[in-house]
Amino acid sequence: MAYAGTMPIPLLFFALVPAQSTGVSLAPHVDWPLTGSQPQEVAVVDFDRDGDLDLVVSSSGDPDQTLKWNDGTGVFDDEESIITAFPSWGVGVGDFDGNGWPDLAFGDGWYGGSDVEVWFGNPADPARPVLGAVLAAGSFPIALRGGDVDGDGDDDLVVANDVSGGVMLFRNLGGGVFGTAEQLPSTASMACRKLELADVDGDGDLDVVLTAYGLWVFPNDGTGHFPVRNHVGASGHVGLAVADFDQDGILDFATSALYSNVVDVIRGDGAGGGRLIGSVAFSADVTGLHAADLNGDGLADLVGVLSWPGQVAVVTGHGDGTFHTAQTFATDVAPQVVASGDFDGDGDPDLVTANRVHGADATVSVLDDVSPPEAWRHLGLGLEGPSGDLPLLRGSGATQPGGSVRLDLEHGAAGGNAVLVVGRARRDLPFSGGVLVPRPDFVLPPLPLDAQGAGAWNLTVPPTTPVGSSAWFQAWMDTRDAASNGLRLTIG
């Protein structure tokens, strides 16, 4: 079903508008050597607080953890070493001593090791962090994350152990003084691998998300206690990404298992659970995952690490938990993990991988995001319908003034009707249990949807086209019980 018509008043102003991007452009990788060997994790943080993002890379081959300083343009040719008492597979970041400077945590990667070292950032000499605490964790503390889990204003430390001890919480008592380890219930025998802290149930506090030969979520009761363990997915060990992949305002999950090229996508239910909604097959085994909006359309994209043959694979988000065809980009040899940050200050998230490079110095590879500006931007704020589907609105069109632009709706009410709301401003007004994103300057007549809940609007564009102007769109079912994401078009 489709609507075609001419807007009776010049509500919208269009110039030449590309179709909504389904890809990303990354410059060839630039490699920077590491002093440590066999890197396993890279943290992106402005460690010296100079306004640009630096890298902290953990070394699982020796006790040399590497700080890579950013010169402000994405060049990482300067570095410092943090010499720990052990090699480390992971690195955690938080402001543990409360002085406003980032601090670091490393876990003992020797066989049978159990110590965790906390290093405080040093405002007097950022290149010389100070060892502030040594904590007793379980055996092989492999993943570490900092965050205020008990709501007292201090960053606590959560540690996942691979061999024994499960997941442990070290409460920050203030000033970087930690209490003894508190083991999360039902984790003692879990072989943990990946760990994230995120508010997956939307109650304002940080929950624990864990891979341990499966995906597990531990909802926070608001006091830093985690009485419930939810088994959310059968897949999940070496890869974990947490993001809102379907624009419903609830965090979702992507996981990859050991020795597998398949990534499972699990839709979060907002209560610490979820259900499998699909999978993505990559061209090689996936050894790490990361989520970021790389093409600037407002949707979470997914990046997979392919250690062999030495690539990252990017699948851009469609906005409903599915993804477009993978693009692959070369890195240095044997990448282990990928992260993102705007390293060169151009407003786009760039990628960085940490690479083992067998037989030579380990490196980090930086891939600059050179994707062109995206005219269409998804804004989320949709309202799920009674069927459980979230309508998806996308824009396209390569039009000149007086031409046409197309808006496609999917996952609407099957056989129902939808109206398109158009505005020259964004308002985010409470409406019928959801959010009305555009100012309602213009509302198109109801459009009948097909049996799959799909429809399209083909609009004739007025001739006036000031560059830089924007328009906002949103589709509502005429029953007012479901709405699409908001969508913004910016003329560039």
Side-chain angles (χ1 to χ4, degrees), residues 281-306:
F282 289 88
S283 60
D285 289 354
V286 177
T287 56
L289 291 171
H290 181 69
D293 179 13
L294 296 177
N295 60 359
D297 64 355
L299 302 175
D301 307 317
L302 189 61
V303 186
V305 179
L306 313 181

Side-chain angles (χ1 to χ4, degrees), residues 314-357:
V314 177
V315 288
T316 54
H318 187 265
D320 60 356
T322 63
F323 298 87
H324 297 285
T325 302
Q327 299 171 263
T328 56
F329 302 89
T331 68
D332 205 350
V333 178
Q336 301 298 299
V337 66
V338 63
S340 65
D342 182 11
F343 302 125
D344 54 6
D346 64 355
D348 299 318
D350 311 305
L351 293 182
V352 59
T353 64
N355 317 298
R356 295 187 69 166
V357 194

Side-chain angles (χ1 to χ4, degrees), residues 92-420:
V93 179
D95 181 13
F96 300 120
D97 58 2
N99 68 349
W101 285 70
D103 309 312
L104 305 172
F106 301 96
D108 191 340
W110 292 123
Y111 180 79
S114 61
D115 285 346
V116 170
E117 291 185 357
V118 179
W119 290 75
F120 295 153
N122 184 359
D125 187 356
R128 301 287 185 270
V130 177
L131 179 61
V134 178
L135 310 175
S139 180
F140 196 0
I142 193 170
L144 311 95
R145 290 293 181 266
D148 183 12
V149 301
D150 56 9
D152 65 353
D154 300 312
D155 280 350
D156 309 297
L157 182 62
V158 180
V159 177
N161 303 286
D162 180 64
V163 176
S164 65
V167 182
M168 294 178 168
L169 166 63
F170 294 90
R171 294 182 190 271
N172 192 338
L173 306 180
V177 176
F178 292 91
T180 56
E182 302 175 25
Q183 188 179 79
L184 270 62
S186 305
T187 66
S189 61
M190 300 180 77
C192 306
R193 187 62 179 268
K194 296 294 184 179
L195 171 71
E196 296 295 345
L197 301 180
D199 182 12
V200 301
D201 54 10
D203 62 357
D205 48 54
L206 293 173
D207 310 303
V208 171
V209 184
L210 176 75
T211 64
Y213 293 101
L215 176 64
W216 309 82
V217 171
F218 300 81
N220 191 337
D221 69 359
T223 67
H225 294 91
F226 305 85
V228 177
R229 182 182 76 169
N230 295 333
H231 185 206
V232 181
S235 169
H237 196 60
V238 298
L240 172 63
V242 182
D244 182 7
F245 294 118
D246 58 5
Q247 296 190 92
D248 64 353
I250 297 170
L251 291 175
D252 311 303
F253 315 97
T255 62
S256 59
L258 194 63
Y259 308 125
S260 173
N261 71 320
V262 176
V263 172
D264 284 343
V265 181
I266 298 169
R267 184 179 187 183
D269 64 6
R275 62 182 176 88
L276 180 69
I277 60 171
S279 60
V280 180
F282 289 88
S283 60
D285 289 354
V286 177
T287 56
L289 291 171
H290 181 69
D293 179 13
L294 296 177
N295 60 359
D297 64 355
L299 302 175
D301 307 317
L302 189 61
V303 186
V305 179
L306 313 181
S307 288
W308 305 103
Q311 297 175 336
V312 289
V314 177
V315 288
T316 54
H318 187 265
D320 60 356
T322 63
F323 298 87
H324 297 285
T325 302
Q327 299 171 263
T328 56
F329 302 89
T331 68
D332 205 350
V333 178
Q336 301 298 299
V337 66
V338 63
S340 65
D342 182 11
F343 302 125
D344 54 6
D346 64 355
D348 299 318
D350 311 305
L351 293 182
V352 59
T353 64
N355 317 298
R356 295 187 69 166
V357 194
H358 303 290
D361 289 340
T363 64
V364 289
S365 293
V366 176
L367 295 85
D368 184 24
D369 189 341
V370 293
S371 303
E374 174 58 63
W376 299 95
R377 185 169 181 83
H378 288 246
L379 305 172
L381 300 178
L383 176 63
E384 186 177 289
S387 66
D389 290 327
L390 186 70
L392 171 65
L393 185 66
R394 297 190 298 138
S396 63
T399 69
Q400 297 181 14
S404 65
V405 63
R406 180 182 175 97
L407 293 116
D408 285 282
L409 180 68
E410 303 173 43
H411 310 309
N417 297 306
V419 296
L420 183 68

